[in-house]
Amino acid sequence: MEEKRLIESAKRGDDLAFALLFQDSYQLLVKYLIKVTFSYETAEDLAQETMARALEKIQFYNGSSKFSTWLISIATNLFIDMTRKQKRENRYKEQEQSIRKLKWQLQTSDEDWIDTIEALGKLTEEIRIPIILKHYYGYSYAEIGKMLDIAEGTVKSRVHNGIIAVRKELRLDEEDSKHRRSTK
Amino acid sequence: MKKIVNIEEAQNKEFKSTIVKIKLGLGHLDENSKVFNPDLSMIQAKIAEQRELAERKWRRDIKLFCLIAAVILSVMLIALYQNPIVFAAVQGISAACFIAVTFFKYIKQKVKET
């Protein structure tokens, strides 16, 4: 109810209402962007760009989704545009560097979960983003399709292929087949 | 038939375990990432800065639009009074371009829908 009131005020040009809305979603937005970019700096820069874009487009926000979901959708598209401008090779190098830096910042190198993060980092953005949105944030395939402007079926196949790729990277298939053989 | 169902079940199980691993990994990343909420006054300052930038951009765009419109209008008027054949040709080419672009966009939209 409070959010709706603030959105209406923001649409009328009330900057304080917009600031309150943005402040409320800031942590969620930056944490989402860290998962997508694996870089604190890029996440914060993108959050600022998202704010500028949201301010520009607030008139077109129809309120059918939560304000934070709308911000996530804007941020995702800004990130995809940003990566499209980079060359593929440079992108992979930067991605690897970002993960190495993240590991150093988190001061962990031997923990199991970092392997999963590295495996996710090896996926392309087109595959990684739907997996994060679906399996971490719990958005439906239809919602993700709307956010990324792709068909629902495409989202499903990207998530499916992404999980297969993560399994391969973590060598889970080998582990499972060993486990199956030992239980026979 | 029974064997097929078992394989499917096993695959689902394997997928579920991978999804759990992904969730755990991302959850740990969330826990370890310390993000502080910016001050409200800082956000307001950024908003004011953005508004100023947008206004400057709008003014620049309007000026550019007026300049281009004036140039096009002058060229068209000169062509109309000095050389009506060139004027008619430009009109024809413009109409053809408009139809071609609209048709291309329509086809692209149809392909996207299918």
Side-chain angles (χ1 to χ4, degrees), chain A residues 32 36 72-73 76 128-140 143-144 147-148, chain B residues 26:
Chain A
Y32 163 72
V36 168
I72 283 178
S73 165
T76 305
R128 186 169 67 247
I129 292 169
I131 290 181
I132 294 171
L133 289 172
K134 172 73 191 157
H135 292 302
Y136 192 76
Y137 288 97
Y139 288 109
S140 68
E143 282 173 314
I144 300 168
M147 279 182 186
L148 303 176
Chain B
L26 293 172

Side-chain angles (χ1 to χ4, degrees), chain B residues 62-110:
Chain B
I62 283 286
K63 275 182 200 164
L64 193 71
F65 173 79
C66 290
L67 191 77
I68 292 171
V71 169
I72 292 174
L73 210 64
S74 310
V75 170
M76 293 307 273
L77 285 172
I78 291 168
L80 179 65
Y81 289 108
Q82 302 291 321
N83 202 341
I85 298 164
V86 172
F87 177 78
V90 170
Q91 292 292 311
I93 291 165
S94 307
C97 284
F98 178 74
I99 292 166
V101 168
T102 312
F103 183 69
F104 180 71
K105 275 187 183 170
Y106 174 76
I107 297 288
K108 210 175 158 188
Q109 182 69 31
K110 281 279 163 201

Side-chain angles (χ1 to χ4, degrees), chain A:
Chain A
M1 196 61 202
E2 175 74 2
E3 190 180 273
K4 272 189 180 171
R5 198 178 55 78
L6 286 173
I7 289 165
E8 283 312 313
S9 299
K11 277 186 169 184
R12 283 195 300 268
D14 182 352
D15 287 349
L16 178 64
F18 184 86
L20 283 167
L21 280 167
F22 188 74
Q23 192 189 37
D24 202 35
S25 306
Y26 185 80
Q27 279 208 5
L28 181 85
L29 179 68
V30 175
K31 283 193 171 187
Y32 163 72
L33 285 167
I34 291 170
K35 287 185 210 88
V36 168
T37 62
F38 299 118
S39 156
Y40 291 113
E41 292 80 19
T42 316
E44 280 178 3
D45 288 349
L46 274 171
Q48 283 207 12
E49 271 186 58
T50 305
M51 188 200 77
R53 189 62 64 89
L55 192 66
E56 202 183 305
K57 307 263 177 202
I58 188 79
Q59 299 300 330
F60 304 107
Y61 172 56
N62 58 15
S64 61
S65 58
K66 278 178 79 181
F67 188 72
S68 55
T69 302
W70 185 60
L71 288 181
I72 283 178
S73 165
I74 293 174
T76 305
N77 287 305
L78 281 173
F79 175 63
I80 291 172
D81 287 348
M82 190 184 92
T83 51
R84 274 184 193 151
K85 283 175 196 160
Q86 292 172 327
K87 277 191 179 170
R88 190 175 278 260
E89 271 176 52
N90 293 346
R91 221 157 69 200
Y92 282 126
K93 270 184 200 163
E94 268 183 33
Q95 189 82 32
E96 265 178 38
Q97 275 176 350
S98 296
I99 293 177
R100 230 176 290 145
K101 200 173 167 191
L102 192 78
K103 257 184 178 178
W104 180 77
Q105 280 167 328
L106 295 172
Q107 293 176 326
T108 49
S109 56
D110 53 347
E111 289 188 40
D112 201 24
W113 64 270
I114 211 84
D115 294 338
T116 316
I117 297 297
E118 273 182 306
L120 281 171
K122 285 186 179 149
L123 303 176
T124 59
E125 301 76 37
E126 282 89 359
I127 290 177
R128 186 169 67 247
I129 292 169
I131 290 181
I132 294 171
L133 289 172
K134 172 73 191 157
H135 292 302
Y136 192 76
Y137 288 97
Y139 288 109
S140 68
Y141 290 117
E143 282 173 314
I144 300 168
K146 241 185 189 178
M147 279 182 186
L148 303 176
D149 195 25
I150 51 175
E152 198 181 322
T154 312
V155 180
K156 272 184 198 171
S157 71
R158 283 185 189 179
V159 169
H160 184 82
N161 293 337
I163 289 171
I164 291 172
V166 171
R167 285 187 65 77
K168 258 188 202 164
E169 197 58 45
L170 295 174
R171 296 171 193 274
L172 291 176
D173 288 322
E174 290 168 28
E175 274 178 33
D176 282 333
S177 59
K178 264 185 206 168
H179 178 73
R180 269 200 298 269
R181 255 179 269 144
S182 64
T183 49
K184 262 184 190 175

